[in-house]
Amino acid sequence: MPVTEPLTILGIETSCDETAAAVVRRHGSGQPGEILSNVVFSQIEEHAPFGGVVPEIAARAHVEHLDGLIELALRDAEIGWDDLDGIAATAGPGLIGGVIVGLMTAKGIAAARGLPFIGLNHLEGHALTARMTDALPFPYLLLLVSGGHSQLLVVEGVGHYRRLGTTIDDAVGEAFDKVAKLLGLGYPGGPAVERAAREGNPLRFPLPRPMMGRPGCDFSFSGLKTAVRQAAEGLETVTGQDKADIAASFQNAVADVLCERTENAMALADDVIPPGHRRLVVAGGVAANMLLRECLMVSAHACGYEFVVPPLKLCTDNGAMIAWAGAERLALGLTDPIDAGPRARWPLDPDAAPARGAGVKA
Ligand code: KG4
Ligand code: ZN
């Protein structure tokens, strides 16, 4: 049964290396969300010595920090427990130890306070963020680019996603992270590559553009990553300038591929997205990349699409996107039983066939 609005939701995110809690208010259909608080503890310092996320360390860090962050989120929002209408937490996909920490915490609060509980697909959090920021109506085209996923989807409604394309190997964020690691640029990889690329010559290394020119809108990044390694290995010594040039060449190749694939998706989506709704939304951590934002905006406009991208801090993982998606679900009366389990893998479009050549990615 739909619920009376406004709805004030606490959102908890613990699926990777950010521990996050937020309070968001949904005032009603067609209105943007109001972020009352949004606190994120980044575990960068804990993982940096290992050059990437260590799942066990992430889970422990979530345990250590989550309670304090929830308290802070309520305090920043200037509300008490009685002001909440529901608790939402990421239930997957992600690193399972971390997911369990957030999920069990949310269930504990929901049970103790007698509040509705929503166990969310993390990807739905990214997918619906543009409705919180820009009050976008359904349907719209979504390019979801994060550390674990690269997908093009038509967002038809809450819980309704039609996948047009996906990666057949690495996710784009994963490619950024691996390239950063092999160039010794550090972790987290995406921002490190972007920073290095600013000083680099994007034309120095002619890297491949996998899948470009092929029909459809699937992606592949594994070959590009290998080509980057070969470019680095082909140099006698790798100077700071070499690294910058490789980073810039890699970033340009990614931008070319993402734009071309997304242009194909816009052409395909024309059949299902009516003229007044032609909007391209970019979401997920990689959407924080300035070059990609600029190139995708040009592509969108060339295809007659409006371009919508959330502010930087709402692209990377955060609690507000989880609270908002929880509010969207609760508004429709969609809650989860208290015994809903965590899910390491959880595709947004369960009907989509695996991409040709795909491994195990959702
Ligand atoms: O959405 P997100 O915060 O977490 C997941 O759900 O995976 O995305 C994290 C990914 C990482 O691979 C990170 O390297 C990438 O997003 N990323 C970036 C940038 N900022 C974060 N990639 C490219 N450029 C950036 N500025
Ligand atoms: Zn994410």
Side-chain angles (χ1 to χ4, degrees):
M1 229 211 327
V3 183
T4 316
E5 300 194 85
L7 292 170
T8 305
I9 305 293
L10 171 67
I12 295 172
E13 160 56 39
T14 58
S15 67
C16 194
D17 56 349
E18 257 110 19
T19 317
V23 178
V24 168
R25 189 165 284 158
R26 186 186 193 273
H27 291 278
S29 174
Q31 295 183 52
E34 185 185 357
I35 301 176
L36 302 185
S37 65
N38 190 20
V39 287
V40 180
F41 170 77
S42 167
Q43 302 175 4
I44 288 177
E45 276 181 27
E46 265 110 318
H47 301 290
F50 304 94
V53 183
V54 183
E56 183 70 14
I57 292 175
R60 282 165 189 262
H62 290 310
V63 171
E64 277 166 32
H65 297 289
L66 184 57
D67 291 357
L69 284 176
I70 291 172
E71 253 184 74
L72 198 58
L74 290 180
R75 204 178 326 141
D76 280 3
E78 299 181 357
I79 63 161
W81 295 108
D82 289 341
D83 300 308
L84 290 173
D85 297 300
I87 314 286
T90 295
L95 302 174
I96 202 70
V99 169
I100 290 171
V101 174
L103 192 63
M104 297 313 286
T105 304
K107 287 181 179 185
I109 298 170
R113 305 297 311 182
L115 286 168
F117 160 74
I118 304 109
L120 269 162
N121 186 321
H122 174 87
L123 304 175
E124 182 160 73
H126 283 304
L128 299 179
T129 296
R131 284 173 54 79
M132 170 172 69
T133 54
D134 293 78
L136 280 199
F138 296 121
Y140 50 87
L141 181 66
L142 172 71
L143 171 65
L144 175 55
V145 273
S146 70
H149 297 85
S150 303
Q151 301 180 5
L152 280 153
L153 302 136
V154 178
V155 181
E156 296 173 330
V158 175
H160 297 285
Y161 305 92
R162 185 194 301 210
R163 200 183 74 194
L164 302 179
T166 188
T167 181
I168 62 167
D169 41 52
D170 291 353
V172 62
E174 191 179 353
F176 268 95
D177 294 337
K178 287 177 178 170
V179 163
K181 200 166 184 177
L182 77 88
L183 292 178
L185 295 173
Y187 151 89
V193 169
E194 183 171 26
R195 245 188 333 271
R198 269 185 223 130
E199 313 299 324
N201 171 6
L203 304 177
R204 177 165 160 207
F205 294 92
L207 297 171
R209 268 76 174 149
M211 308 291 274
M212 255 177 85
R214 294 214 204 160
C217 46
D218 284 335
F219 308 95
S220 164
F221 294 104
S222 164
L224 177 57
K225 174 194 66 191
T226 306
V228 166
R229 190 176 54 243
Q230 287 164 347
E233 284 169 357
L235 300 169
E236 230 163 78
T237 50
V238 182
T239 64
Q241 190 57 51
D242 294 331
K243 289 183 186 182
D245 292 345
I246 295 174
S249 303
F250 164 76
Q251 202 180 236
N252 248 33
V254 170
D256 284 351
V257 170
L258 282 182
C259 288
E260 196 254 9
R261 304 277 86 196
T262 306
E263 285 165 19
N264 278 6
M266 286 186 275
L268 287 171
D270 277 354
D271 288 342
V272 281
I273 301 184
H277 287 261
R278 294 202 173 135
R279 296 186 181 91
L280 169 68
V281 174
V282 188
V286 182
N289 185 287
M290 294 315 283
L291 176 75
L292 297 179
R293 290 163 87 102
E294 282 161 22
C295 295
L296 286 162
M297 182 173 73
V298 172
S299 287
H301 292 165
C303 295
Y305 275 60
E306 196 185 311
F307 183 66
V308 180
V309 63
L312 292 189
K313 69 176 186 192
L314 296 177
C315 288
T316 46
D317 289 350
N318 63 87
M321 70 184 200
I322 300 303
W324 170 258
E328 292 250 60
R329 286 196 161 256
L330 187 57
L332 297 169
L334 300 172
T335 60
D336 291 293
I338 207 75
D339 62 353
R343 298 174 64 171
R345 296 191 184 286
W346 190 353
L348 268 183
D349 177 359
D351 296 332
R356 211 158 44 80
V360 291
K361 293 216 155 51

